């Protein structure tokens, strides 16, 4: 499936500026070594200094209120000030909107049936030679970056193009500004018409997502790019669905005729993104064999790896609902994520939930072997977190085989003991069982005094625990889990991610 990094649309110089600015945001001290940067990007000192000036000019354009800029407080070391991820997003949008390739993309996908190339060039105040050159190279560039490659199991060409256009605009405009601003009044009315038939009030993120989706949907229809038979999901009739369609038909009547096929496509998106509640999703998912197949595969992996003491007590419905939701989106309107995609964070969860990691990693490996899925690394990492959160939320600690027993026993009495027990609730998702009586299965004993009668690992807190004490306890819990892993899952390498 196509990876969602649309910086290839930026011009060469802006792409280098974007690269440098991104590097600043990844450094905790917000500094970069100029010499290392020159080597890494194969740039001369003169070129670097030119980019330095350009980036400061660009940051001045997008900064509001508190300034954002680059400086060289120490020779050879660049430092950024006020460069947040939000400012980086704003400057990326600035670069995108001045990229000739992006102008060519907007023409090709939204306006090529409405305007001639000559009319479009005149309206966009750009040189015709640059525009024609960009238009000629656009298809090859998009092919190279898998733009036309399906992002789900369930997609024809128009479905795929719309989905990737939506990913592009949703990712790069999200929270900064709205794409195609002249549409704002109409889109606001459309969102209101849809909201009236939804079971819950839209959250700000849901509203942004829907608003962006509607813009792409509307412009593709206006440009005579219909969904046709690409949209195979058939939504059942309902009073609420009919009411929503009628309201949208009225709003769009002076621009186009809203067909049953196109409304079906929009309504399927609402269901896939959870706007219409879980029962609607379950009903529509029944028509997609892959959803059931992937869910059953995951549940079988749970059984095969024997991560639970007993499987009959698990709330299968809750877990299966979560999995169905994951797989339904994955096989239909899969929006490649921009968060929970950092592979470095996987190790933390792998150590905290080693038995879940076994199941999740095995399952993702199986998906990666399938030729029909084209799983990118970002998708694999995001799926890892989705599966992990589904398991954490559905399975109680008591049922886990890799749980850690902690006995809390303070000489000062129950007030102190209960305070520490309450504080330990921050770790409650690390498969911890807290007891007040020492037992054979106790792994860690926490008290205010060291006891010779206790053979288990002891933690002594004579004062309320400090952040360092909590950090040390977290490390200790992970150590206990690591030692248990070979015994619980003999076939697993304890360093397995």
């Amino acid at each position: 499936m196509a990876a969602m990094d649309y910086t290839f649309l930026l011009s060469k110089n802006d792409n280098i500026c974007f690269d440098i600015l991104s590097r600043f945001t990844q450094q905790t001290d917000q500094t970069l070594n100029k010499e290392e940067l020159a080597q890494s990007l194969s740039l001369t000192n003169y070129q670097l200094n030119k980019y330095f000036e350009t980036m400061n000019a660009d940051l001045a354009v997008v900064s509001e209120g508190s300034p954002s800029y680059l400086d060289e407080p120490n020779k050879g070391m660049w430092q950024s000030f006020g460069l947040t991820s939000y400012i980086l997003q704003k400057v990326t949008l600035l670069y995108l909107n001045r990229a000739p390739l992006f102008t060519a993309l907007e023409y090709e996908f939204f306006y090529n049936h409405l305007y001639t190339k000559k009319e479009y060039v005149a309206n966009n105040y750009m040189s015709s030679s640059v525009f024609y050159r960009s238009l000629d190279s656009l298809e090859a560039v998009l092919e190279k970056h898998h733009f036309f490659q399906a992002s789900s199991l369930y997609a024809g060409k128009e479905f795929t193009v719309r989905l990737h256009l939506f990913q592009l605009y949703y990712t790069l405009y999200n929270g900064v500004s709205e794409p195609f601003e002249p549409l704002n009044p109409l889109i606001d009315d459309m969102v209101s018409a849809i909201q009236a038939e939804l079971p819950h009030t839209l959250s700000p993120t849901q509203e942004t997502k829907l608003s962006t989706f509607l813009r792409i949907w509307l412009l593709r229809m206006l440009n005579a790019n219909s969904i046709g038979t690409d949209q195979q999901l058939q939504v059942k009739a309902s009073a609420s669905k009919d009411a929503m369609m009628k309201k949208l038909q009225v709003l769009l009547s002076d621009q186009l005729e809203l067909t049953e096929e196109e409304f079906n496509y929009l309504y399927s998106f609402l269901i896939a993104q959870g706007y219409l509640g879980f029962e609607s999703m379950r009903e529509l998912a029944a028509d997609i064999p892959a959803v059931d197949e992937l869910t059953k595969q995951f549940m079988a992996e749970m059984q095969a790896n024997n991560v639970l003491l007993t499987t009959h007590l698990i709330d299968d419905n809750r877990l299966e609902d979560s999995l169905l939701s994951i797989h339904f989106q994955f096989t239909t309107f899969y929006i490649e994520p921009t968060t929970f995609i950092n592979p470095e964070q996987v190790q933390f969860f792998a150590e905290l939930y080693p038995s879940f990691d076994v199941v999740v990693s095995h399952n993702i490996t199986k998906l990666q072997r399938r030729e029909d899925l084209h799983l990118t690394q970002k998708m694999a990492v995001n799926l890892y977190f989705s599966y992990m959160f589904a398991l954490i939320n559905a399975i109680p600690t008591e049922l886990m085989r890799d749980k850690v027993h902690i006995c809390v026993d303070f000489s000062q009495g129950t007030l102190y003991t209960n305070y520490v027990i309450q504080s330990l609730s921050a770790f409650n998702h690390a498969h911890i069982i807290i007891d007040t009586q020492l037992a054979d299965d106790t792994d860690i004993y926490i008290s205010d005094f060291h006891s010779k009668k206790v053979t288990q690992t002891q933690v002594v807190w004579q004062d309320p625990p400090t952040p360092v004490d909590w950090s040390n306890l977290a490390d200790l819990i992970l150590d206990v889990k690591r030692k248990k892993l070979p015994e619980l899952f003999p076939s697993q390498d304890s360093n397995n991610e």
Side-chain angles (χ1 to χ4, degrees), residues 28 34 39 73 103 141 231 257 262 274 334 356 386 421 431:
T28 46
K34 204 174 161 188
Q39 284 182 341
T103 306
V141 172
Q231 165 54 3
E257 183 194 344
E262 286 291 357
Y334 181 76
F356 285 169
S386 297
I421 288 172
H431 296 156

Side-chain angles (χ1 to χ4, degrees), residues 27 275 278 466:
Q27 302 297 321
Y275 288 63
F278 192 77
T466 64

Side-chain angles (χ1 to χ4, degrees), residues 299 302 307-320 353 355-356 388-405 427-434 481:
M299 296 301 282
M302 286 277 297
V307 298
L308 304 176
L309 286 172
T310 174
T311 49
H312 72 274
L313 291 175
I314 174 180
D315 183 352
D316 273 358
N317 290 342
R318 188 172 179 189
L319 180 57
E320 282 182 355
Y353 307 101
S355 55
F356 285 169
M388 198 49 103
F389 299 151
L391 290 170
I392 291 166
N393 290 327
I395 299 176
T397 298
E398 293 77 13
L399 299 185
M400 296 306 303
R401 293 174 72 222
D402 70 340
K403 55 184 174 279
V404 174
H405 282 266
F427 290 98
N428 70 347
H429 270 326
H431 296 156
I432 286 170
I433 302 286
I434 300 167
K481 282 175 172 283

